[in-house]
Structure formats: structure tokens, C-alpha cells
Amino acid sequence: MTDSQEVNEALDRNEFLVTELLKYIDKLPNILGMKSDIHEKLENLRSVMQGIRPPRVMVIGRARSGKSSLINAICGLKVAEVSDTEPETGKAEWKNYYHEGSDLLHILDTRGLQEAQEPRQYDSAETPYDSIMQAVKKKCPDVILFLCKATEVHSASGKDLDECELVVKEINKQYQRKLPIIGVLTKCDELSPPRVPLPTENERKNRNVEEQVKSFFAFLKERSELRDHVKNVVPTVAYAEYEDGKNGLILSDQDYRWNITELVETMIKYTPRETRGSLSRMAHITEFQLSVARTVVTACTVLSGFVSANPIPGAAIPIVFGIQAFMVMYIGWLSGREFSVQTLQTLQTRKDLLVTGGVTVGANAGFVSMADIALKFLPGYGSVLAASAGVIATQGLGDTAIAYFLNNGKSD
């Protein structure tokens, strides 16, 4: 497993943990107004995590609507298998797009809705919906591309929308996120007159494309469960021929893609990513970096307190350490370093600063573990004391990381 993959998996685990805590907090009474404040801090932390990892795009639509072809067209590589005659995609699965060693995009390729026959690839799920939800339970998408073949907008698309509504409702239930939906009209080159390629100055062709875009957008907006999610409809042509083999490049003389750039720009526009951290990192604006870093430390401190209050002795230790590691690596990332274990290790080498800051990595570990194991045996007060220990240790480590990475060794 590469360093990039390990970082992504760690981010996935932490994002899942924050999401589960948000669900738990929503069920609690609002005591002294603290509930909304904690909820806001955890939402801020989840946004930070989403800002570091690549965006996630889910592609759904009817069988033979061109899902795999669109994925390849977006990536500019043959990352998804395409069949000329039969449904290809079986098990819904996340595909990662890398470019020059950087993990840029995660795409969920799914089984076709209303499939007339079993896909060529094996899938243990009985229905396309079950297959999609199995993949969604592993990772939550950031945006949904809902595909419809341009010549089939008026052909039983209601059943496709029924499935889409179920998926959106379940995602909202599991992750408490209101995902944006972008309608994608595929195979627009097949609209009349069919032998006129796009782009074109042919008025009839352009008029037919525009009419289908309006019709599809209207169909999406008619659904009460989808209305607030739908952002736009983009017409496309995804057809291209590729070099043989996995990740084969597009053959330049057989590239018939159209409007893919506009689709990607629309995806970027509506993908809910936290950009403040990236901007401050790039511009090296110290006050802005400090503001973002303090927000992260506060959120991680609150999260550590909740996890440390776990009534099972010892159970919270690895989770708290994971939260603290994320916090330190993120603050280092803000300063211009890589989001990696190496960044964490650079802080460990500065024993003088760690002692001055009131916490060493070893002492931090011992403080949390002793509190977690010993204090929970005190009836009634154990969980409170353990939570306090987790909070103090995380806050101290966060302050030290800010001093080292952003304040040239000086505390606030």
C-alpha cells in the first residue's frame, strides 16, 4: 500500500468517526446550548477532512446510459471497462484516478438501473440499488452524477428517478449530508440529425440538445425528494477510443468527446470541498493559517473528549491517538509540509519545544492511557475524568503543533 493510499484510508476512518459522533450528538438534549456548538465544531472538522482528500463522485443511471464511458472521458484514461453490447459494470465500486503520483479523484461506478440482463461482471448484490448502497456505506460521495441517454429522456425515466430518490434519502440518513445532483445527458450525438457531430452550427441539432436538457431538468425538479439537490444538467458526448490495456490513453485521432470540460467545471463548482485551508497554505497568510489551525485543534479536542468518555477501559486510546495524529499532520500541512507521518515525526524530534509546550509525545500517550484505563474504574466520575484527560492532552499537543509549524516555536 502506498503512502497516499494509507493517508486516504486514515482520512476515511476519521471522517466516518466524526459522522457517527454527529448522529449521536443529534440524539442528545441541548444542555446549556452546548449541543449546537459541539455540532458546529465537528462539522468544521469533517469539512477539513473533505478538503484534504480527493473529491468523490457517484455515477448512476439506466443500463447502457454510458456510465463507464463517461468515467473514462472525465479521467482521459480507460479506467472503466466498456461493453458495446451488454451491461458491463457489476459490483458498484470506487475507482481512484491518479495523475503523476497524485490522488486526484474517486469515482463510484455503479450497475445500471432497470437492467434487462445480468451485467458481465459478478455482483453479489441482488439489485442495482443494493449494490450501490453497499459501496456508499464504505464511503460517502460528495456529488451525484445522474445520467440519462439523450434519446431516452421521455422513456420510462420515472423509474430511474424512483431509484435515485431512494439512494439520496438513504445517504442523507446515513451521513446527514445533502448532496448536490448534476444531471448528465449522454450520447447527445445520437440526437437528430444523428450524423452531425458535436459541437456544430447545425440549428436543428443544437435545438434538439437544448430541448432535451430542459426536459430532463424539469423531470428532476418535479421530484420533491430531489428538487433541492438538483443543480444543473449538462449535455455530453463521451465516446473515444483508447490504447489497449489498463489506463490506456485516448487515441488523439479518435477522440469525439464533447462538453466534458464543462461537466468537470460544474462538478468542481458544486462539490462541497473545504478550500480555506488550501488557500491559506498556498498564500502563507499566517493569521489565516492560525485561525484555521485553532478551529481544527478545538474540534479535535472536543472529539477526543467524547471518545475518551467511552465506558470500556482502553478502547479509546488508539482512536484518540488517531485524532491527535490527524490534527498534527493537518497543522503541518497548513504550513506547507506534506500531510504524512513524516510531518508528525518532525514534531517528535523537537523535544525542547514539546517540553516547553507542556507535553511530550511519550507523556501524552501515557497521560491518556492511564486516565482511560484507571480513571474509568471510579464509579460515576471515571468517564468524566477520562474525557478531561483526553481533552487536556489533545489541546496541549495542538498548541505545541501550532507553535512549531506556524509560530516559529512561540506559543500563542
Side-chain angles (χ1 to χ4, degrees):
M1 183 181 294
T2 65
D3 291 342
S4 178
Q5 289 173 324
E6 290 180 355
V7 168
N8 284 332
E9 287 194 5
L11 286 172
D12 289 342
R13 290 192 297 270
N14 279 282
E15 186 178 349
F16 175 79
L17 174 61
V18 173
T19 299
E20 291 301 305
L21 281 169
L22 283 167
K23 292 181 188 176
Y24 174 74
I25 290 169
D26 281 342
K27 298 177 183 179
L28 298 176
N30 191 11
I31 302 174
L32 301 178
M34 293 177 60
K35 177 178 176 180
S36 58
D37 184 51
I38 294 172
H39 195 283
E40 181 183 359
K41 287 180 172 60
L42 291 177
E43 282 286 9
N44 288 339
L45 181 58
R46 183 162 68 171
S47 294
V48 167
M49 293 174 180
Q50 292 165 358
I52 295 176
R53 65 162 173 75
R56 300 173 186 155
V57 179
M58 179 167 70
V59 182
I60 61 174
R62 186 180 304 182
R64 312 298 301 149
S65 62
K67 295 184 298 300
S68 296
S69 295
L70 183 69
I71 290 172
N72 291 338
I74 291 172
C75 294
L77 300 168
K78 188 168 70 175
V79 295
E81 291 298 326
V82 178
S83 170
D84 293 332
T85 58
E86 300 175 6
E88 178 69 31
T89 304
K91 180 181 179 181
E93 60 181 352
W94 288 98
K95 292 180 169 66
N96 299 350
Y97 171 47
Y98 294 88
H99 180 65
E100 297 181 352
S102 297
D103 194 1
L104 299 182
L105 184 66
H106 294 180
I107 298 181
L108 178 58
D109 191 10
T110 64
R111 275 172 65 176
L113 307 175
Q114 297 194 59
E115 57 191 13
Q117 62 187 103
E118 292 292 321
R120 297 203 300 181
Q121 295 177 355
Y122 172 74
D123 187 5
S124 60
E126 294 185 3
T127 67
Y129 171 78
D130 293 335
S131 180
I132 291 170
M133 294 317 304
Q134 285 178 8
V136 167
K137 286 179 180 178
K138 296 177 182 178
K139 297 179 184 179
C140 179
D142 296 314
V143 63
I144 298 174
L145 300 185
F146 185 72
L147 275 58
C148 180
K149 192 175 176 180
T151 56
E152 297 180 354
V153 172
H154 300 279
S155 302
S157 58
K159 292 183 179 179
D160 299 336
L161 294 173
D162 290 341
E163 294 283 345
C164 187
E165 281 187 313
L166 291 175
V167 171
V168 170
K169 287 175 66 176
E170 189 61 28
I171 289 175
N172 186 51
K173 178 181 177 182
Q174 285 191 29
Y175 294 100
Q176 298 184 337
R177 291 185 60 189
K178 188 176 180 180
L179 299 186
I181 297 175
I182 300 171
V184 182
L185 276 185
T186 61
K187 305 184 181 181
C188 288
D189 51 329
E190 297 182 7
L191 290 169
S192 296
R195 286 183 292 276
V196 176
L198 291 165
T200 181
E201 294 182 0
N202 186 290
E203 292 184 3
R204 180 184 171 199
K205 185 83 166 188
N206 290 332
R207 184 171 61 252
N208 286 336
V209 171
E210 184 178 349
E211 288 177 355
Q212 296 309 309
V213 168
K214 290 180 179 178
S215 295
F216 190 37
F217 187 75
F219 284 146
L220 292 171
K221 284 290 191 178
E222 282 176 359
R223 295 298 183 108
S224 58
E225 294 291 340
L226 303 179
R227 188 175 300 132
D228 293 338
H229 296 262
V230 177
K231 303 302 180 183
N232 204 350
V233 170
V234 181
T236 64
V237 175
Y239 182 71
E241 291 290 340
Y242 298 82
E243 295 175 347
D244 293 335
K246 186 177 180 180
N247 291 336
L249 297 173
I250 291 178
L251 299 175
S252 58
D253 59 340
Q254 298 185 61
D255 183 0
Y256 303 100
R257 295 176 300 165
W258 171 71
N259 230 26
I260 299 301
T261 299
E262 181 179 337
L263 173 60
V264 172
E265 290 175 351
T266 304
M267 290 163 53
I268 293 172
K269 179 179 179 180
Y270 292 110
T271 299
R273 292 185 52 135
E274 175 65 43
T275 58
R276 291 178 61 192
S278 298
L279 290 172
S280 64
R281 177 181 188 245
M282 185 169 57
H284 292 285
I285 303 172
T286 303
E287 284 305 314
F288 204 41
Q289 290 173 322
L290 288 171
S291 176
V292 175
R294 292 187 191 108
T295 298
V296 172
V297 171
T298 301
C300 287
T301 299
V302 171
L303 186 55
S304 294
F306 271 101
V307 173
S308 298
N310 189 311
I312 303 175
I317 297 172
I319 301 176
V320 171
F321 287 174
I323 295 168
Q324 293 172 345
F326 165 82
M327 176 183 67
V328 172
M329 287 191 295
Y330 182 80
I331 294 171
W333 178 80
L334 274 177
S335 72
R337 292 168 174 80
E338 291 184 359
F339 185 84
S340 65
V341 175
Q342 285 70 31
T343 297
L344 182 64
Q345 291 171 341
T346 61
L347 184 63
Q348 291 178 304
T349 63
R350 288 295 304 273
K351 301 294 185 181
D352 56 331
L353 181 63
L354 288 167
V355 172
T356 302
V359 58
T360 68
V361 174
N364 182 49
F367 189 32
V368 175
S369 60
M370 285 188 295
D372 189 59
I373 295 172
L375 296 180
K376 284 175 183 175
F377 289 101
L378 299 176
Y381 298 98
S383 292
V384 175
L385 293 172
S388 299
V391 165
I392 293 169
T394 304
Q395 182 71 52
L397 189 58
D399 291 343
T400 301
I402 290 175
Y404 175 60
F405 290 117
L406 300 177
N407 267 348
N408 296 319
K410 301 175 182 178
S411 59
D412 285 343

